[in-house]
Amino acid sequence: MKKEVNTVIIGAGICGLSVAHFLSKKRSDFLILEASNLPGGIIQTKIENDFICENGPNTVLLNNDAIEEIIKDYNLWEELQFPKDTSNKNRFVLHKNKLTKIPLNPISFIFSPLFSFMSKIRILREPFIKSHQKNTSVFEFVKKRFGKEFHDQLIEPFITGIYAGNTRKMSAEHTLKLLWKLEQSHGSIIRGVLKSKKDKKSKINSFNFPKGLSQLTSKIAESMGDKLILNNKVQQIIKSDNGYEIISESGKILCKEIICSVPAYSLRNFIDNRSLIAELDKIIYSPVDVFHFGFEKKNIQNKKQGFGVLTKPSDDKSYLGILFNSRIFDYVSPEGKELFTVLVGGERQKHLCEMNPIKLKELILEELEDLLGHKGETIIDNHYRWSKGIPQFNLNHSDLLKAIENFKNSNSNFHLIGNYFNGVSVSDCIQKSRELVKIIN
Ligand SMILES: Cc1cc2nc3c(=O)[nH]c(=O)nc-3n(C[C@H](O)[C@H](O)[C@H](O)COP(=O)(O)OP(=O)(O)OC[C@H]3O[C@@H](n4cnc5c(N)ncnc54)[C@H](O)[C@@H]3O)c2cc1C
């Protein structure tokens, strides 16, 4: 027998779950179909031997009303955990093989060993450099405005930390949205920052929860009850006069409206729109391998408090970055123990994400010895491979946005949402979900 429902949400990652949550405030005539046996998508907390490990995001920005609303709706506001001050203030890049603080204010910038004297002077020219007439790569954009050294020493490691991408291919307009807008509206990033600092209310923080980020996705999933159907992969969608027929692993569902939150490489399998499929196929998802290492605190020589360290290609390391989890949040490791998360691969070193994980782990642990000075056995050493990890907003991104717009215009009540065009951060996913629900009936 065919089921009938008004709306079907496909995918129960943070986008699909947030859409479901905001929609449930308006009406209840929907179902959520999820392919895997767990909700949350990329948000995956694993608790092992009392170490709280995140396979996906580790911290989320508290930077918009939608995220505040959803946290409060699930009574998680009081549970929010913020990074320790010492970790927020001390974010490192590797420089000459040493942990070197990223300058967070003009004074520390002047004294930073990361930049040459010429480079520091070069930055003062930024307000006088003409703004871009058309989009360019992140590399070209930063080089033109602040100089190559600034790109190599700071922006490249930073972008690697978020996107695991290649700055020479990434679109400045879509990846560095805020900086691009500041340049376009004020003619200079420095002028724009000074102006917007005057208008800013307060500092933006990031957060996690005592039992990890899955606390939020599990609560949303629980609240959906039997509206959420797991182990139910969507295989085909057929357009009909009255709406859509969805063919999934468990049968057929007729609906009037679809909200599809699956990744691009999945969506392309069940839509009938050649130009959108062609653009979805061009999206590069950077692979990322994630390792969690737990140690006895006494066995770690390096005691520097901080958030973590990012690397650049010239450092010649096999890792993109290391998060000092137990120095960010005390509670993520048991008393007397330390937890580190190591991110490997990305566009820069894709081949590592094809390596045998046991060999890769040995390589990483050996390289970490230089930096952490760890002795003795690891207490935990988890590994998770994201073969298709983070979607890149490359120079052809505008073509994708156009194809999505055309798709929307020719498929009424078939809405798309997802990190591959809405923004990769969890906070963007939640904000865009609320915006979408606002415009549908
Ligand atoms: C290693 C890593 C670290 C990250 N770190 C951070 C961070 O620190 N902070 C931050 O803000 N962001 C971070 N991100 C990005 C962020 O986690 C993601 O962009 C976000 O979680 C994506 O959510 P989503 O709902 O769009 O997609 P997903 O989480 O991918 O959810 C899509 C869902 O659709 C389901 N699905 C797929 N195909 C089908 C089908 N045919 N039928 C039914 N269901 C289907 C999938 O099983 C999945 O559950 C990180 C990402 C990675 C990979």
Side-chain angles (χ1 to χ4, degrees):
M1 205 181 78
K2 283 184 190 172
K3 264 193 204 167
E4 273 192 57
V5 66
N6 192 71
T7 305
V8 171
I9 299 167
I10 311 177
I14 190 63
C15 283
L17 290 172
S18 306
V19 165
H21 171 69
F22 292 117
L23 191 61
S24 69
K25 292 181 159 192
K26 283 180 160 180
R27 51 186 167 87
S28 60
D29 50 356
F30 64 87
L31 287 176
I32 314 156
L33 308 184
E34 165 57 45
S36 82
N37 61 349
L38 282 174
I42 295 173
I43 297 183
Q44 291 185 10
T45 311
K46 298 270 175 272
I47 303 184
E48 194 186 324
N49 289 355
D50 293 331
F51 285 92
I52 301 173
C53 308
E54 301 283 5
N55 286 339
N58 270 272
T59 52
V60 171
L61 286 175
L62 193 58
N63 63 352
N64 64 62
D65 293 346
I67 195 159
E68 285 190 16
E69 182 178 333
I70 207 162
I71 292 169
K72 286 178 183 160
D73 286 345
Y74 288 95
N75 294 324
L76 287 170
W77 191 256
E78 299 303 321
E79 304 258 323
L80 284 176
Q81 302 292 321
F82 298 108
K84 288 198 263 179
D85 232 25
T86 44
S87 68
N88 270 338
K89 283 186 188 145
N90 298 307
R91 292 171 184 252
F92 303 106
V93 285
L94 210 59
H95 180 61
K96 299 185 177 162
N97 230 8
K98 289 209 171 74
L99 294 181
T100 308
K101 240 176 112 166
I102 295 176
L104 297 175
N105 59 51
I107 302 291
S108 55
F109 175 74
I110 292 169
F111 292 103
S112 172
L114 288 176
F115 309 102
S116 62
F117 176 71
M118 288 310 285
S119 224
K120 289 173 185 169
I121 298 289
R122 166 72 177 75
I123 281 167
L124 299 177
R125 271 177 50 205
E126 195 275 337
F128 309 101
I129 292 172
K130 269 194 181 169
S131 43
H132 287 83
Q133 298 300 306
K134 64 179 183 40
N135 191 18
T136 184
S137 69
V138 166
F139 170 71
E140 290 297 341
F141 179 77
V142 178
K143 189 176 86 167
K144 178 172 165 184
R145 302 226 60 88
F146 296 108
K148 183 170 180 299
E149 197 181 48
F150 193 80
H151 165 272
D152 293 352
Q153 296 286 80
L154 194 61
I155 300 298
E156 189 164 30
F158 184 72
I159 291 289
T160 302
I162 302 174
Y163 292 93
N166 178 342
T167 57
R168 282 161 173 83
K169 293 186 186 163
M170 298 166 93
S171 152
E173 182 181 353
H174 304 100
T175 311
L176 303 176
K177 250 183 186 167
L178 193 69
L179 299 187
W180 178 264
K181 275 190 191 152
L182 287 174
E183 191 224 47
Q184 295 293 305
S185 50
H186 298 270
S188 142
I189 295 171
I190 292 182
R191 269 205 300 272
V193 168
L194 292 176
K195 169 81 179 55
S196 51
K197 264 201 168 165
K198 277 187 205 156
D199 307 338
K200 262 233 168 77
K201 291 175 274 171
S202 61
K203 195 174 101 193
I204 293 165
N205 214 339
S206 57
F207 68 88
N208 202 315
F209 298 110
K211 298 270 177 254
L213 288 170
S214 289
Q215 240 183 292
L216 176 63
T217 47
S218 307
K219 277 213 165 196
I220 307 176
E222 266 167 40
S223 77
M224 294 300 147
D226 55 12
K227 284 190 174 39
L228 170 61
I229 309 174
L230 299 173
N231 298 309
N232 201 352
K233 186 174 178 177
V234 170
Q235 291 156 332
Q236 204 187 345
I237 296 176
I238 302 164
K239 209 169 171 177
S240 68
D241 291 343
N242 303 328
Y244 299 92
E245 181 173 80
I246 298 182
I247 301 167
S248 72
E249 278 173 337
S250 71
K252 291 180 180 173
I253 301 176
L254 296 175
C255 65
K256 294 196 178 75
E257 181 180 55
I258 294 177
I259 301 170
C260 191
S261 75
V262 303
Y265 52 84
S266 183
L267 174 66
R268 57 101 49 227
N269 293 326
F270 51 71
I271 52 168
D272 180 21
N273 182 305
R274 273 205 210 156
S275 47
L276 181 55
I277 291 174
E279 293 307 324
L280 294 173
D281 286 348
K282 287 183 201 157
I283 301 175
I284 292 172
Y285 278 77
S286 304
V288 185
D289 274 30
V290 181
F291 289 93
H292 302 116
F293 296 122
F295 294 100
E296 293 290 345
K297 202 178 221 157
K298 61 178 182 337
N299 288 344
I300 305 287
Q301 279 171 6
N302 189 331
K303 305 280 183 212
K304 264 197 180 169
Q305 292 298 313
F307 203 92
V309 58
L310 296 166
T311 64
K312 53 190 178 303
S314 59
D315 293 324
D316 206 19
K317 295 290 176 201
S318 302
Y319 50 87
L320 299 169
I322 310 169
L323 288 163
F324 301 168
N325 303 85
S326 46
R327 301 177 188 187
I328 305 174
F329 301 111
D330 283 324
Y331 61 88
V332 297
S333 62
E335 186 76 25
K337 318 261 189 276
E338 289 246 49
L339 176 65
F340 300 92
T341 300
V342 185
L343 302 160
V344 178
E347 280 302 280
R348 196 201 296 171
Q349 287 163 311
K350 280 184 183 160
H351 63 283
L352 294 176
C353 300
E354 284 163 12
M355 223 172 125
N356 174 320
I358 298 174
K359 289 211 170 103
L360 184 58
K361 183 182 81 183
E362 283 166 10
L363 176 75
I364 299 295
L365 277 172
E366 202 180 301
E367 284 189 21
L368 287 192
E369 206 151 352
D370 259 8
L371 202 71
L372 301 180
H374 57 84
K375 303 262 174 288
E377 294 287 294
T378 50
I379 309 167
I380 59 156
D381 53 13
N382 293 338
H383 168 252
Y384 193 87
R385 176 160 288 170
W386 296 100
S387 301
K388 291 187 170 170
I390 304 178
Q392 303 298 302
F393 293 8
N394 281 347
L395 282 162
N396 51 0
H397 197 71
S398 299
D399 298 337
L400 169 71
L401 298 180
K402 267 183 229 144
I404 289 177
E405 207 46 47
N406 291 340
F407 177 83
K408 276 201 265 176
N409 295 337
S410 52
N411 293 276
S412 62
N413 297 327
F414 192 147
H415 310 281
L416 301 179
I417 183 147
N419 64 355
Y420 59 94
F421 72 102
N422 283 137
V424 298
S425 76
V426 170
S427 48
D428 279 346
C429 291
I430 296 175
Q431 187 178 32
K432 297 292 173 185
S433 300
R434 191 175 72 169
E435 280 171 20
L436 175 62
V437 171
K438 272 192 180 151
I439 59 161
I440 61 182
N441 293 319

